[in-house]
Amino acid sequence: MSEFKRISPEQALALRAEGAVVVDIRDPQAFAAGHIAGATHLDNHSVADFIRSADLDAPTLVVCYHGNSSQSAAAYLVGQGFSNVYSIDGGFELWRNTYPAETAQGSAE
């Protein structure tokens, strides 16, 4: 079984440009206030549907607040059969500071 990888926001930006899926595991209010453009909000209620409809081989980027919780979520996705999972170091906070133009607002994308 593969393991998830930790990557920098710079690496994540490049993978996203190549079509990687971005999932955000922060609470709904934080997601609505700002998230990586194109990200899908993932929580306990939506994860099963996400896994059922996902391409398990597509690069999947997991983001949380600071890059800690996303590691557990990334490991969970690997355990569910995803083969190409990344946790973004520094989380959304570092992303927002590094790439403010690459963020969006709203509750669903």
Side-chain angles (χ1 to χ4, degrees):
M1 184 190 309
S2 65
E3 294 183 10
F4 75 90
K5 300 159 205 73
R6 293 175 56 184
I7 61 171
S8 68
E10 294 80 12
Q11 293 167 303
L13 183 69
L15 280 173
R16 198 189 86 185
E18 295 170 7
V21 175
V22 181
V23 295
D24 189 320
I25 63 166
R26 296 173 304 139
D27 67 77
Q29 295 81 10
F31 181 85
H35 54 268
I36 296 173
T40 298
H41 183 248
L42 207 57
D43 62 16
N44 291 336
H45 303 291
S46 61
V47 68
D49 286 339
F50 173 76
I51 291 170
R52 268 194 297 280
S53 64
D55 176 351
L56 301 182
D57 295 320
T60 304
L61 309 175
V62 184
V63 66
C64 63
Y65 292 98
H66 301 289
N68 298 316
S69 298
S70 58
Q71 294 178 49
S72 296
Y76 175 79
L77 291 176
V78 168
Q80 299 305 304
F82 286 74
S83 62
N84 204 359
V85 183
Y86 303 87
S87 172
I88 302 175
D89 284 342
F92 180 71
E93 292 303 317
L94 182 57
W95 177 277
R96 179 176 56 190
N97 290 328
T98 307
Y99 301 113
E102 297 293 330
T103 62
Q105 291 182 326
S107 58
E109 261 193 40

